[in-house]
Amino acid sequence: MKKREIVRLFVLCSFCVSTALLVGCNKKGEEATTQESGTITLSAYHYLDQTDKTTAPNFQALVEAFNKKYPNIKINFEFGYGEAYHTKLQTLAASGQLPDMMVVYPGKRTAYITSEGHVQDLRPRFSGHESEFASIALKSQGPNGEMWEIPEDISVTSIMYTNNKLLKELGLTFPKTLDELIAQGETIRQAGLIPISMANKDAWPMQSCLASMLAERTGGMEWFDKAVKGDGAGFDDDVFVRALEIINFLHEKEMFSPGINQLAYMQGLDDFVNERAVYFIDGGWMVNNMVGELSDEQKEYMSLESFPDIPNQKGESGSASGVAGTGFGMNSDLSGEKAEAAWKWIWFYSGPEGSAIRQRFGRLPAYNLKAPDDVDPMIKKLINYVGSIPMGYVLDSVVGAEGIGIFNNDLQEMMFGLTTPKDVASKLEEWVNENDRSN
Amino acid sequence: MNQKKTKIISYWILAGPPLILFLSVILFPILFSLIISLSNWSGSGSLQWVGLKNYIEIIHDRIFFHGLRNNLLIVAISVLGQIPLGFVLAYILYRKIVQREKFFETMIFLPITISPVVIAILWNQIFSTSGLYTSIIRKISNNPRYVVSIFENQSLAIIPILFVILWMYTGMYMVMYLANLQKISPSILEAAEIDGASESQILLHIIFPFMQGVIMTTTIFAITGSLKSFDLIYAMTGGGPAHFTEVIAIYMYTNTFKYYKYGFGSAVSIIIVLLSVGLIFLLQILSRRLDRKYS
């Protein structure tokens, strides 16, 4: 072999080795899909904070129960949480390596895979089970009524948790109107307490837990439906601006936690369970944490309430914002017995068995279940609350990720006095109009 | 085989693999990013060409300019803060102006050995509304609603981050300067001292010319590192509140991975590359002038 050929061969080998290293021989990464001694192996990507001392053991118990019932189905779980979950899921989708099952949202949050045809419509499999679920869980998830996932629970995103012991000590009762609530502020602050505990460093809680509910109150559901579709109403309408003005008003009157936009998310709960705040506005999922954080005595005098009535209210009294929860979806490439096995898991997870397990740990399943008598008092209160309230939309389930990201930050700017409710509303309408009138 | 051929073979054996690695890891992603930046690709699905639309959108976005302003402040604190301070500290230790120099060297270098995320949590614990500093001030002032207002000021919110960046990275430059100062032959300094040179003359006429190349290299590190700032700030504030502490890398991350605008995000990354190259080019012009002055 001539020297020149040696050089060429070497360069070629170098290139091949480098390319192999960079691209990665992904055979190992590919999920085993073959049957081994009758066992069907599936891969799943789950949205779970494994450090969460309530949810993680809950999920573990659920997996163990499933394995016991279906020993021939093996599921390899990977876990992600927060933005990291979505980043990885989208990367998997882009590289054509989506797992067999993955947690998806009923709204716009996981549109990056559901609208791209990566997830199966589960309606044919779900058909016949409709009456077993809460009506909110059956709302359309896709533009043609698709059902990408079977909701595991109901997410009420706006509850005014109330410390009735503190209220009594201050000589107050739960306010019926916004004015009454504002009037209580002075008394509560003078006692060295926070009127309404909220933590908005992550920017989404103000939108999800307060603005969404207020939008339904100021405009009513008819307006909300029209605004979402752009059908004779929009987010720049006076009723929506009014909802944002109420947030501004509450902020100006020092009703929220000091430095609300600097407070890390769980600090809101911390202030409430440690009785530094009289009210706490957050989602129903917080009951999950309260089960472990509150003492038995506290559970007696803590109650779940709806935000008081507001002036010129067009929506319903006592309403809250809510959305069907997340659930497992199935990869659209799945077929045959793998698809059957995946459905077994999805149904086990969101159906009667998984729902009963989650309920024991403090979740409110979308599956209609009678609460057991020995259920935690906070869960009982949540079940009663959800069963008694009218529910409106959550903005982040009807507006796309970018639009809602801009809106969340604009709400913070508004509270700092850098922009006005009118401008925030106009900007949201402008974005929705340009990008998102597909509902 | 003649010497020329041997040379060529040796060259390819030594330079071939790194060259391929460089082309695959550095050049290819940049070129790929450039192509993506001219499209509206959302991470999946089809790719549509939009020309310079992404770049035009970026230069009309005030959030980008606020991020750029924050980045330039980080460049400033790095070039005008970390590098001079690192040099001064190294010089003090090298000339043994303080005692127990090993202890100081370790203490100054310590922050760089800690993960930026841990650093972010640490400083958050101090300054957050439930943190140590706030609690102490609330107790002293008897004002339970006190918060560090600087974090809520659009112009000033970046200052605490600049302080943490200065605190964290100065040690790295100090060690680099110290290692290079130790290369200077002691006999040269002794000779200068015997000849009656003052400390400032030694610094200006011996140390500075010797260190010029290192200062140039560290400045390039500081500029490129500053324009890529991400981890510490993201873990500390996430760019918030209301984009006050946002830098271009967070702006790029948000648009790419939260809003799924891969084309837009790629355009931002290309702008970061261009800014880095531009600033380094300016620095080289400056360096050549200094070279001429010393020669």
Side-chain angles (χ1 to χ4, degrees), chain A residues 3-4 6-7 10-11 14-15 18-19 21-22 83-84 86-87 90-91 93-95 109 112 116 118 189 192-195 201 251 254-264 267 401-406 409-410 412-413 416 418 427, chain B residues 1 5 8-9 12-14 16-17 20-21 24-25 41-46 57 62-63 124 127-130 138 144-152 154 234-238 240-244 253 255-262:
Chain A
K3 266 99 187 171
R4 187 175 290 176
I6 294 172
V7 173
F10 181 81
V11 173
S14 301
F15 180 76
S18 306
T19 310
L21 281 170
L22 292 167
E83 281 309 316
H86 295 282
T87 304
Q90 201 193 22
T91 311
S95 58
R109 189 67 186 90
Y112 54 86
E116 297 292 332
H118 294 305
R189 283 192 300 274
L193 299 168
I194 300 162
K201 185 181 180 181
H251 185 60
E254 298 188 327
M255 295 301 288
F256 295 129
S257 305
I260 178 173
N261 290 309
Q262 295 181 42
L263 268 185
Q267 188 63 37
E402 185 185 0
I404 216 66
I406 295 167
N409 277 292
D410 284 351
Q412 287 188 328
E413 278 198 19
F416 291 133
L418 297 171
K427 213 164 139 188
Chain B
M1 191 163 30
K5 279 186 178 175
I8 292 169
I9 291 170
W12 278 109
I13 287 173
L14 291 169
I20 290 162
L21 211 62
S24 328
V25 179
W41 193 47
S42 65
S44 56
S46 59
E57 215 175 298
R62 65 174 179 85
I63 299 166
N124 265 344
F127 287 126
S128 80
T129 43
S130 55
R138 278 180 181 179
R145 294 189 69 83
Y146 171 83
V147 287
V148 188
S149 55
I150 199 169
F151 286 108
E152 297 184 354
Q154 192 174 17
Y234 194 76
M236 214 168 150
T237 64
H243 303 292
F244 291 175
Y253 173 82
N255 278 290
T256 312
F257 297 110
K258 279 190 177 173
Y259 302 159
Y260 313 114
K261 292 162 73 181
Y262 280 71

Side-chain angles (χ1 to χ4, degrees), chain A residues 378-414:
Chain A
M378 290 307 290
I379 301 168
K380 235 179 212 167
K381 287 177 184 179
L382 179 64
I383 293 167
N384 291 337
Y385 177 78
V386 174
S388 66
I389 53 156
M391 245 185 266
Y393 297 124
V394 188
L395 283 163
D396 58 25
S397 72
V398 292
V399 176
E402 185 185 0
I404 216 66
I406 295 167
F407 179 67
N408 291 347
N409 277 292
D410 284 351
L411 283 181
Q412 287 188 328
E413 278 198 19
M414 182 187 78

Side-chain angles (χ1 to χ4, degrees), chain B residues 26 45 48 58 61 69 110 116 155 206 217 231 271 278:
Chain B
I26 311 283
Q48 282 177 324
I58 290 166
D61 191 349
R69 171 245 190 209
L110 196 63
S155 305
I206 299 174
T217 311
D231 45 6
I271 290 176

Side-chain angles (χ1 to χ4, degrees), chain B residues 66-79 155 158-159 162 226:
Chain B
H66 189 74
L68 179 62
R69 171 245 190 209
N70 284 342
N71 266 113
L72 292 176
L73 285 172
I74 295 170
V75 170
I77 201 74
S78 303
V79 175
S155 305
I158 194 73
I159 289 176
L162 296 180
S226 302

Side-chain angles (χ1 to χ4, degrees), chain B residues 15-114:
Chain B
L19 181 72
I20 290 162
L21 211 62
F22 171 80
L23 292 174
S24 328
V25 179
I26 311 283
L27 207 62
F28 173 72
I30 292 174
L31 289 175
F32 189 64
S33 199
L34 184 66
I35 294 164
I36 297 288
S37 76
L38 302 171
S39 77
N40 66 352
W41 193 47
S42 65
S44 56
S46 59
L47 181 148
Q48 282 177 324
W49 298 108
V50 294
L52 295 173
K53 184 175 171 279
N54 290 326
Y55 292 92
I56 293 164
E57 215 175 298
I58 290 166
I59 58 170
H60 284 99
D61 191 349
R62 65 174 179 85
I63 299 166
F64 169 77
F65 280 100
H66 189 74
L68 179 62
R69 171 245 190 209
N70 284 342
N71 266 113
L72 292 176
L73 285 172
I74 295 170
V75 170
I77 201 74
S78 303
V79 175
L80 305 174
Q82 287 165 10
I83 286 177
L85 197 59
F87 186 87
V88 169
L89 290 169
Y91 190 74
I92 289 170
L93 295 175
Y94 171 64
R95 299 289 286 160
K96 298 193 188 338
I97 295 169
V98 289
Q99 287 182 337
R100 298 188 180 180
E101 70 272 15
K102 285 286 167 207
F103 169 75
F104 285 113
E105 193 180 325
T106 309
M107 293 313 291
I108 297 164
F109 188 67
L110 196 63
I112 194 70
T113 63
I114 306 170

Side-chain angles (χ1 to χ4, degrees), chain B residues 131-244:
Chain B
L132 184 73
Y133 174 78
T134 312
S135 304
I136 291 169
I137 300 293
R138 278 180 181 179
K139 277 250 158 84
I140 294 168
S141 64
N142 201 22
N143 174 11
R145 294 189 69 83
Y146 171 83
V147 287
V148 188
S149 55
I150 199 169
F151 286 108
E152 297 184 354
N153 184 305
Q154 192 174 17
S155 305
L156 306 178
I158 194 73
I159 289 176
I161 291 171
L162 296 180
F163 169 74
V164 177
I165 287 172
L166 184 67
W167 172 82
M168 188 176 170
Y169 292 104
T170 298
M172 186 177 76
Y173 295 111
M174 182 203 72
V175 167
M176 287 164 93
Y177 291 135
L178 192 59
N180 281 280
L181 283 169
Q182 282 161 350
K183 285 184 193 165
I184 301 173
S185 169
S187 58
I188 298 173
L189 298 180
E190 278 167 23
E193 279 169 9
I194 290 165
D195 288 344
S198 67
E199 194 66 37
S200 60
Q201 283 172 324
I202 290 174
L203 185 66
L204 276 174
H205 300 291
I206 299 174
I207 307 276
F208 266 144
F210 183 82
M211 295 290 285
Q212 198 193 328
V214 188
I215 292 170
M216 176 73 184
T217 311
T218 50
T219 309
I220 290 172
F221 282 163
I223 290 170
T224 51
S226 302
L227 288 172
K228 288 190 298 186
S229 300
F230 180 81
D231 45 6
L232 178 82
I233 304 171
Y234 194 76
M236 214 168 150
T237 64
H243 303 292
F244 291 175

